[in-house]
Amino acid sequence: MTKYIFVTGGVVSSIGKGITSASIGRMLKNRGLRVTMIKVDPYVNVDAGTMNPYQHGEVFVTDDGAETDLDLGNYERFADLSLNKLNSITTGSVYGSVIAKERRGDYLGRCVQVIPHVTDEIKEAIRRAARDKGADVAVIEVGGTVGDIESLPFLEAIRQFKKEAGPGGSLYIHVTLIPGVGPWNELKTKPTQHSVAKLREVGIHPDILVCRSKSPLSQEMREKLSLFCDVDEEAVIESMDVPSIYEVPLIFEREGFGDLVAKRLYLYDSKPSVADLQEWERVTTAIAQPKRTVEVAIVGKYTDLRDAYMSVIEAIHHGGIANLAKVNLRWVESADLESKPAAELLAGVNGVVVPGGFGERGVEGKLEAVQYARENKIPYLGLCYGLQMAVIEFARNVAGLEGANTTEVDRDTPHPVIHILPEQEQVEEKGATMRLGLYPCRLAEGTVARDVYGEALVYERHRHRFEFNNQYRDELAAKGLVISGTSPDGRLVEIVELKDHPFFVGTQFHPEFRSRPNRAHPLFRRLIEAACANAAPSKRK
Ligand code: GLN
């Protein structure tokens, strides 16, 4: 029987509900339990794929090609899981299936209503995701803030779970803000009291409060929260800001949060809950005590919205963890490279990453960054659009194909070295129609890619419409562009690299999605290793 943990948020958004949920997943994993994690998003979009990164941050892609909320990335990284389509539930997806059933006549003439039909659909979607993974425990994060109109059907559905899951079968955790006010930054519990009252209005009584605050909770405040919110004192968990998100699970463990969850859910009949923290401690020690520091530039067009690059940022840090290096990030707006020289904006960086992207803006700036990294032998990793940029730059500046471009930017380019995938040509609908999810990639002997992975066949996640144009393959290869990874049939170029360069690799896929703090993705591990080597000579000076 799966047990269910529901995580809701109160007072304000962006208080770290995702990291809290992911940390709960980690704590369950530390106890050897089979865990799955589900994000419920009250927006009407069927998935996150059609949303602008400015609205929503990164679109996280799963193995099976679902375009999901970035919180799924945190779940995968913290609890070391591979999630799928079933782990992301939205108002759009729920109503989509209710309406499809209604049209099929499945409701046998009944009037279809929010309760019970929509709530049943939500509950079934949650159970389906848990069954799919044979989970001992499913952690379900409800997006939005308690009190939002959009969340109501979801809150009603999770309320109904309590009775159905039976005693010890479910747990309600409320993540809330304890703001500091006035000149002395006095912590206030009132917003939390109101938020819990709001939850109780819809019939949910939280079992545990996770209190986000800038300073520690006093004993008196714990008593007050316990009294007014009707939770046990041991269930008032303090959650202060920390330098690295990866510390959160260990801090929670020290507070007894993991044991409390295990106890409340009767996860162990007789023996006490034993958590194995070793693997995670290795991660946090590497972060806390780095042996060296390097600087890596991320050149993109959403640099003022870091959430748009969440998995890229994390994967770079994982590379740092694996090399015992602290990685400082330099954010370079690609459009700025169109007016200021790369030698100025990228001066002194030990590595350059051009992440995924779409459209025209900033493309010429990205090409400047690629050229600078190539010519100055700065380690370079291009991700998806970053591979496409590397190919265009090589075509223009090494192979002499003037005006080379991707047809995404210039339909009439004389040298369309990147063009639309044939299967994409007829596609008109935007939702879930890109080349998405896991595909195999065969690595050529004697290449950097083959060496980095240590395997001949790898699987990586994709999200794109354009690809390397095979008409230019021989010409560019003759000039020195190494095609080190292709689809097994050889038709699609998946990885390009350069010789005579410390590290210059572009991937048509997104390796960042499969990187974990405890298992850095090999390409990011090697990028930071090369960045450390790049930094070393200047240190010796
Ligand atoms: N815009 C490019 C394409 O669709 C790259 C996509 C990406 O970087 N994810 O092919």
Side-chain angles (χ1 to χ4, degrees), residues 351-426:
V352 173
V353 172
V354 174
F358 294 85
E360 193 178 341
R361 187 166 69 79
V363 157
E364 291 300 321
K366 289 180 187 174
L367 293 168
E368 292 289 335
V370 176
Q371 183 173 7
Y372 180 79
R374 180 177 58 76
E375 291 179 348
N376 294 284
K377 308 246 185 270
I378 315 269
Y380 174 81
L381 182 58
L383 309 166
C384 204
Y385 220 16
L387 164 135
Q388 299 179 356
M389 295 299 125
V391 172
I392 296 166
E393 194 278 329
F394 187 90
R396 284 188 192 175
N397 300 329
V398 180
L401 301 176
E402 211 176 305
N405 216 327
T406 162
T407 52
E408 181 174 355
V409 171
D410 179 4
R411 276 171 185 275
D412 306 317
T413 166
H415 297 294
V417 288
I418 304 293
H419 67 170
I420 193 130
L421 285 154
E423 62 262 37
Q424 287 286 332
E425 240 150 358
Q426 308 307 326

Side-chain angles (χ1 to χ4, degrees), residues 276-323:
D276 180 358
L277 307 181
Q278 272 185 27
E279 194 174 3
W280 212 252
E281 279 167 350
R282 264 199 297 278
V283 169
T284 54
T285 309
I287 295 170
Q289 298 158 17
K291 301 242 181 301
R292 47 194 81 87
T293 302
V294 294
E295 190 177 10
V296 170
I298 298 186
V299 181
K301 73 170 177 180
Y302 304 112
T303 51
D304 49 353
L305 188 88
R306 311 281 152 94
D307 275 1
Y309 299 114
M310 179 163 303
S311 295
V312 177
I313 299 171
E314 293 309 317
I316 292 174
H317 289 310
H318 302 162
I321 293 169
N323 286 283

Side-chain angles (χ1 to χ4, degrees), residues 355-359 383-386 388 408 434 463-467 508 510:
F358 294 85
L383 309 166
C384 204
Y385 220 16
Q388 299 179 356
E408 181 174 355
M434 284 190 237
R463 183 174 188 253
H464 61 113
R465 291 189 203 280
F466 295 79
E467 63 161 340
Q508 187 54 76
H510 291 274

Side-chain angles (χ1 to χ4, degrees), residues 40 47 67 111 130 149 191 207 223 225 248 257 303 334 410 423 456 481 501:
V40 165
D47 60 39
E67 296 174 284
C111 171
I149 291 177
D207 298 291
E223 285 166 15
L225 285 162
V248 177
F257 188 6
T303 51
S334 46
D410 179 4
E423 62 262 37
L481 187 72
H501 191 287

Side-chain angles (χ1 to χ4, degrees), residues 5-244:
I5 299 178
F6 298 101
V7 182
T8 54
V11 183
V12 289
S13 59
S14 309
I15 49 170
K17 206 154 29 87
I19 299 296
T20 303
S21 305
S23 299
I24 294 168
R26 180 74 238 167
M27 293 194 289
L28 296 164
K29 217 45 207 276
N30 289 345
R31 286 164 176 74
L33 294 158
R34 210 157 354 154
V35 184
T36 194
M37 304 203 55
I38 300 160
K39 177 78 191 282
V40 165
D41 273 304
Y43 49 70
V44 183
N45 303 57
V46 172
D47 60 39
T50 52
M51 265 186 275
N52 185 318
Y54 276 121
Q55 290 264 315
H56 190 260
E58 162 186 284
V59 175
F60 186 78
V61 181
T62 57
D63 281 349
D64 65 344
E67 296 174 284
T68 73
D69 190 88
L70 50 75
D71 280 314
L72 267 82
N74 285 322
Y75 306 161
E76 288 204 349
R77 287 185 283 271
F78 276 71
D80 202 355
L81 302 168
S82 271
L83 301 172
N84 60 32
K85 280 192 174 67
L86 301 178
N87 296 85
S88 173
I89 302 169
T90 68
T91 294
S93 71
V94 169
Y95 275 78
S97 49
V98 169
I99 291 167
K101 281 185 185 167
E102 187 274 332
R103 293 287 81 183
R104 271 202 312 267
D106 290 3
Y107 293 111
L108 303 174
R110 278 191 292 266
C111 171
V112 181
Q113 294 181 307
V114 173
I115 306 173
H117 302 104
V118 170
T119 48
D120 280 353
E121 192 69 34
I122 296 169
K123 287 190 290 180
E124 183 46 28
I126 292 172
R127 285 198 207 94
R128 200 183 300 131
R131 266 199 312 271
D132 177 64
K133 295 280 190 245
D136 299 318
V137 187
V139 181
I140 301 100
E141 177 188 348
V142 181
T145 308
V146 167
D148 296 345
I149 291 177
E150 289 88 346
S151 318
L152 284 173
F154 292 104
L155 293 176
E156 169 59 16
I158 69 168
R159 178 196 71 76
Q160 294 173 16
F161 251 92
K162 185 176 181 129
K163 199 157 59 152
E164 294 169 27
S170 63
L171 199 62
Y172 297 89
I173 299 179
H174 192 52
V175 186
T176 175
L177 179 73
I178 310 285
V181 298
W184 312 112
N185 221 17
E186 194 189 342
L187 295 186
K188 290 289 182 190
T189 63
K190 190 74 81 190
T192 297
Q193 295 176 36
H194 282 298
S195 168
V196 169
K198 202 84 200 148
L199 254 187
R200 290 216 204 114
E201 246 170 54
V202 295
I204 296 173
H205 192 123
D207 298 291
I208 297 175
L209 289 182
V210 176
C211 302
R212 299 279 293 114
S213 70
K214 297 268 180 225
S215 45
L217 302 178
S218 64
Q219 180 55 28
E220 190 194 338
M221 291 188 67
R222 287 173 189 271
E223 285 166 15
K224 202 164 164 189
L225 285 162
S226 162
L227 178 67
F228 285 94
C229 302
D230 200 15
V231 296
D232 292 335
E233 224 179 283
E234 65 169 359
V236 176
I237 306 291
E238 174 184 284
S239 177
M240 288 199 294
D241 295 352
V242 281
S244 162

